[in-house]
Amino acid sequence: MDVLFKSAAVLISIFLLLFCNAIPSVAYSSSSTMHTNNWAVLVCTSRFWFNYRHMANTLSLYRTVKRLGIPDERIILMLADDMACNARNKYPAQVFNNENHRLNLYGDNVEVDYRGYEVTVENFMRVLTGRHETAVPRSKRLLSDEGSHILLYMTGHGGDEFLKFQDSEELQSHDLADAVKQMKEKRRFKELLIMVDTCQAATLFSQLQSPGVLAIGSSMKGENSYSHHLDSDVGVSVVDRFTFYTLAYFERLNMYDNASLSSLFNSYNPNLLMSTAYYRTDLYGRQLEEVPVTNFFGSVMETIHTDSPYRAFSGKYSKIEIPLDQSDEVKQRRLKSSDVPQELTGSNITDKHVTCPVTRTWNAILGRIGMMKELDSLVNYGLILMFLIATGSSWFSS
Amino acid sequence: MAEELNEEFTEGLLLRPLPDRRVLAHFHFQSSVPPTRTYGRHHHLFPKSIYQLINKFRVREMELSFTQGRWNYEHWGGYDPISSSNAKPPGVELWADFDVSLDQVDASWKNLTHALSGLFCASINFLEHSTSYSAPQWSFRSFAGKLRYGTLPREAVCTENLTPWLKLLPCRDKAGLSALMDRPSIYRGYYHSQRLHLTSDEFDTAKSNSGIMLEQTLTVVLQPNTLGDRAMVSGKTLQPSWSLSSLFGRKVHGKCSVSKSSNVYVQFEPNLVSELKEVWESVESESGILIHDAFWNNPIFEISASPDRVVKEVGNLQKEVSSILYEFLVEDYNDSKPFDLGLRWKLPVVWSCKQAPLHASRFLMGSGNERGAIAISLRSSSNNNTQRVGCSEKGSQLRIDIFQVVPWYVKVYYHTLKVFIDGELQSTMENIEKMHLSPSEDKVSPGVMEMKLRLPCSVKTAVLTLEFDKGFLHIDEYPPDANQGFDIPSAVVSFTGFQASIGFEDNFLNKLPILNELQERKHVISYTEVLLVPLTTPDFSMPYNVITITCTVFALYFGSLLNALRRRVGEEERLLKSKAAKKRGPLSSMLSKLSAKLKGSPLEPSPTPSTSPSFINYKLIVKVILVAGMAAGGQYYFR
């Protein structure tokens, strides 16, 4: 009798588990996962020399996120053309985003993952959704997980609900929304910040509907995004206004700063941008005042402490760490940002592998039952109940 | 044998003044590792990523080069080891020989291209399609069946390709000779080619394996900064003076500490050496100073550092003059005393480089967007001395291998092959010893031509022409900048029977890989130009325009047609009338009938505006009925 009941319970729990796995979007709750890593996808979609500024935009962002702590292997950089070693470039192997030429964006250690003809809508979608051919190397894949914060930056020429790639194809707002939805369902991100610097950038976000997505665009519908200034030595405009002021904001920050996203959003002055920056925050659950910009533009890494080297990983010791933990600022940041301590406490007690709440409660019930003393009487009551139900149902059916 | 059981790394740099006021810098790095069977899998110096590549894809030999610019065979030489092995076609060239069964070669190639594209930040993965690579049978290298060859002529080469290449070196670009590689200086040059050559006999079951050898070279042609000092001496311009710091903007602060040897060489070509001797003789004839071969301090030029050794070329019996190498050991220098080699010219010298037997070039003929012809021209170099090397006996012939890959959308008709020698049309088979053709297949494979030519020694010009039709691509297959035209990769022309190598007197020198590279006996090879073929490009907005216009026309036509067919004027009028009648409602018409009866006057339809009083009536009546009903209900209840 006892065995019978237990096996039934196991069967039911298995069923519930299957149920959980079958509809992940239902059971999945973003609050239960930790923010474990940061990724950045930086895309310059324009070809040809006169679009120098788009590449400079993207490389500026690349430099910024690298400076704020995202390592190269977690940055997917897509550049649609070669500007640095272009025959028209007076400064070979150098790209500047300011006419003072103080900062060479190309540096000595730039890692371009997709370039030239490879920057297509297809490859872009493949990177986002993770559907690659098997031969594609790891450095070209976005290997994010459900604890990832992803920064997606795109720049190029756009219009009402589309963004041009290489002057030959378009990414539509529906495509973007579908890709993001698919990413959400595949648990490829926890939070996603989409930053777009094109004309009518706001229209690109109109179809988004996945939770955890935050979007910033450089201009509203019907507005153009303008370049900031022309470098007469290089011969073309070198940076766009939106990106220029974004960079101006980030130049003041370092890895340990607590500046919030709202302060970034408020830093855009429509008169200087000559367009209205647009924010879409309705899909994003948290208060922007509480979220530091380093949540997307910086990086956290999970370090696992082990007692001895070369042991199997044990989840108990996993702890979130900010790189280069320098005592003061780190503590300050932990206290101020609301999410980190909450995640710290919430994570390590419960079993990490079972994320489905239904299974968790069921497991708890099972545990309680196991603790009970009068198992026999319970079983007897249960049998009587079953008998009653059976007789009742047969009586009704007849 | 015991000493060979270790990993080795060596670095070297060869500098050579070029006749057209430029300087050639050739970096050479070599890492080798003994076979896994005896040495194991843990390496100290050898890059792990390359080791994994070899083991995963079972590569026996591989060469990958990234090149920008075109090697100027006329001014920079076409008959020396550096031009034969380091002058590469623009863009990316990759060939690999695999140690797998024949049916797996293509799969291995595909995976290798993807792995390399990730490793070197380039779009090498475009070579995975069968339209972009070929399997040469015998002309390119003599590996039967398992060699694959592919080029991407338009691939950009920049910092992102050089950096991963440098990361394969144990000292990266932090120490040793590679510290000279300042990116803007290198990419400012006229020509730069980075090459990676791998040989491995890991999978040979035979006895004496030598393990894996990785050879990395960077060849740059730089213009020394001569602003201001374009000095003239007796009416002739001086060759520009240069130093390492003026060429690269950096100095060498000692050698890479793990490298076995770290040497810098300055090479003077045979023609330059003989020119120097002449000049010296004319200058010093009166003073009567003995002219010795190993001169390095003289009235013509000055080298800033004293060489540690002077190496002379030997074994070239035909010539009385031979090239000279000045060797400098970097290990004697350190941070406090950086190595900055300089060469300063005091007297003008003019010389020319040794040319390949024939100068190969390729061009397009014909006009229009439908058809054209490819011509490969072989022109005798101006000085005919070199030809005599291969043509020692009378009646012997020049043997030339040509290997050419043409993409499928340029449909070459191989039966139209014509050979002109000195301007006269020859019967084709007379001069062709051997030929292997594999015609292109649309969207499947490129056309490959391998040919062994036999030309008389006295030939001045030889021209091969092939006609072609231009094909059409599907609209999705055009690249974004299709209007720029399409590239046909370089053809490879190799002069078998001519070997470019510099022999050195000292056997001890064989240990140094950079000199080994010079000594290695290789065929003289030159690459022709990349051809730019303009194809007919569609108006890419045309489908959209056509669809819009067609739809508009159809909509107008069918809309008006349907309207005309379906419209019935009489019916519509009737319908309108009945609608007007209906508007009054059934109850009001009944009421008006009732009132008419009560009044005793005949029934007449009230005009439309008078519906409002009847409407009020209707409301009133409902109210009355409601009150009456309530009253009746109350009556019934209270009773």
Side-chain angles (χ1 to χ4, degrees), chain A residues 232-261:
Chain A
S232 42
D233 274 354
V234 176
V236 285
S237 305
V238 287
V239 71
D240 277 322
R241 282 177 178 267
F242 176 76
T243 308
F244 182 86
Y245 290 107
T246 309
L247 294 174
Y249 175 84
F250 277 109
E251 283 307 306
R252 298 195 302 267
L253 298 184
N254 68 20
M255 212 184 275
Y256 307 106
D257 268 316
N258 269 309
S260 66
L261 276 175

Side-chain angles (χ1 to χ4, degrees), chain B residues 391-458:
Chain B
C391 302
S392 44
E393 309 107 47
K394 213 168 162 64
S396 68
Q397 288 170 314
L398 280 173
R399 283 164 198 277
I400 295 162
D401 283 5
I402 297 175
F403 169 58
Q404 175 175 263
V405 182
V406 179
W408 66 265
Y409 41 80
V410 175
K411 293 168 180 166
V412 178
Y413 298 117
Y414 290 102
H415 70 273
T416 61
L417 174 70
K418 291 195 188 89
V419 182
F420 297 87
I421 290 179
D422 294 335
E424 284 171 33
L425 180 63
Q426 307 284 313
S427 84
T428 320
M429 291 323 288
E430 196 176 292
N431 297 97
I432 295 170
E433 193 176 306
K434 195 175 167 189
M435 190 155 67
H436 172 250
L437 299 173
S438 75
S440 60
E441 200 177 326
D442 278 8
K443 296 176 192 191
V444 175
S445 65
V448 183
M449 180 184 84
E450 296 170 79
M451 186 186 286
K452 222 183 246 306
L453 272 180
R454 212 166 35 187
L455 299 175
C457 268
S458 57

Side-chain angles (χ1 to χ4, degrees), chain A residues 47-48 72 79 82-86 90-94 104 106-119 123 133-137 139-140 165-168, chain B residues 66 68 110-111 114-115 117-126 128 154-161 163-164 167 173 181-184 187-188 192 250 479-481 484:
Chain A
R47 203 178 183 78
F48 305 119
D72 239 337
L79 300 176
D82 164 51
M83 299 296 173
C85 291
N86 196 306
K90 193 184 161 192
Y91 303 94
Q94 296 170 79
N104 172 20
Y106 222 56
D108 278 355
N109 202 0
V110 58
E111 195 183 300
V112 187
D113 299 296
Y114 289 83
R115 64 174 198 177
Y117 297 139
E118 279 183 294
V119 183
N123 278 343
E133 272 186 74
T134 48
V136 172
S139 66
K140 288 184 154 190
F165 269 63
Q166 304 236 13
D167 230 3
S168 68
Chain B
F66 292 89
Q68 204 81 108
K110 182 184 165 186
N111 290 329
H114 274 284
S117 86
L119 205 55
F120 289 103
C121 292
S123 337
I124 307 175
N125 51 318
F126 283 131
E128 69 162 321
R154 204 175 283 174
E155 183 71 14
V157 181
C158 210
T159 312
E160 68 262 28
N161 305 118
T163 304
K167 282 179 179 169
D173 57 348
M181 290 183 195
D182 173 44
R183 310 299 192 280
Y187 291 108
R188 194 174 288 130
H192 58 87
R250 294 179 187 181
D481 51 355
Q484 196 185 333

Side-chain angles (χ1 to χ4, degrees), chain B residues 195-425:
Chain B
R195 194 173 67 101
L196 178 134
H197 186 246
L198 265 179
T199 46
S200 123
D201 51 5
E202 285 272 283
F203 315 109
D204 286 352
T205 45
K207 52 308 151 220
S208 63
N209 293 16
S210 55
I212 307 171
M213 195 162 77
L214 168 68
E215 189 190 1
Q216 289 173 264
T217 63
L218 175 74
T219 311
V220 215
V221 175
L222 298 169
Q223 173 82 63
N225 192 4
T226 53
L227 289 175
D229 62 347
R230 204 178 168 89
M232 307 276 282
V233 174
S234 63
K236 291 177 181 169
T237 43
L238 271 181
Q239 289 285 325
S241 305
W242 49 263
S243 65
L244 286 182
S245 55
S246 76
L247 286 178
F248 296 104
R250 294 179 187 181
K251 295 172 184 173
V252 182
H253 300 273
K255 66 172 214 168
C256 171
S257 51
V258 291
S259 80
K260 203 178 147 208
S261 73
S262 178
N263 301 342
V264 175
Y265 296 91
V266 176
Q267 189 198 10
F268 286 163
E269 291 164 288
N271 292 347
L272 175 57
V273 172
S274 66
E275 173 73 19
L276 287 175
K277 278 186 177 168
E278 269 173 39
V279 173
W280 200 0
E281 273 165 11
S282 68
V283 170
E284 302 278 317
S285 53
E286 59 270 16
S287 59
I289 296 171
L290 196 76
I291 298 165
H292 51 94
D293 285 338
F295 55 95
W296 58 271
N297 201 355
N298 56 40
I300 307 167
F301 65 92
E302 188 186 9
I303 297 179
S304 67
S306 62
D308 293 286
R309 199 162 44 150
V310 180
V311 186
K312 278 196 67 189
E313 182 188 354
V314 291
N316 222 332
L317 299 173
Q318 278 84 11
K319 287 175 293 173
E320 61 284 356
V321 281
S322 50
S323 64
I324 292 179
L325 280 168
Y326 297 100
E327 185 181 275
F328 304 88
L329 300 177
V330 176
E331 56 201 37
D332 303 338
Y333 298 88
N334 51 35
D335 274 337
S336 56
K337 193 180 111 187
F339 178 61
D340 185 17
L341 183 70
L343 177 72
R344 199 166 68 82
W345 294 95
K346 297 187 218 163
L347 288 175
V349 272
V350 179
W351 77 100
S352 64
C353 280
K354 209 172 156 192
Q355 302 291 317
L358 295 170
H359 178 76
S361 67
R362 193 173 61 163
F363 52 90
L364 282 178
M365 300 196 301
S367 60
N369 272 334
E370 201 184 343
R371 58 179 73 89
I374 302 174
I376 299 174
S377 114
L378 300 161
R379 190 162 38 78
S380 170
S381 323
S382 46
N383 55 339
N384 271 349
N385 322 341
T386 48
Q387 281 200 26
R388 288 183 199 130
V389 182
C391 302
S392 44
E393 309 107 47
K394 213 168 162 64
S396 68
Q397 288 170 314
L398 280 173
R399 283 164 198 277
I400 295 162
D401 283 5
I402 297 175
F403 169 58
Q404 175 175 263
V405 182
V406 179
W408 66 265
Y409 41 80
V410 175
K411 293 168 180 166
V412 178
Y413 298 117
Y414 290 102
H415 70 273
T416 61
L417 174 70
K418 291 195 188 89
V419 182
F420 297 87
I421 290 179
D422 294 335
E424 284 171 33
L425 180 63

Side-chain angles (χ1 to χ4, degrees), chain A residues 342-379:
Chain A
Q342 165 205 328
E343 283 167 1
L344 271 174
T345 50
S347 61
N348 42 15
I349 300 164
T350 52
D351 190 356
K352 246 181 94 179
H353 300 289
V354 187
T355 47
C356 170
V358 182
T359 7
R360 203 184 299 158
T361 47
W362 183 252
N363 282 346
I365 291 167
L366 272 185
R368 293 256 171 84
I369 289 169
M371 297 294 279
M372 276 185 189
K373 296 273 194 273
E374 308 91 10
L375 252 182
D376 288 345
S377 60
L378 192 86
V379 169

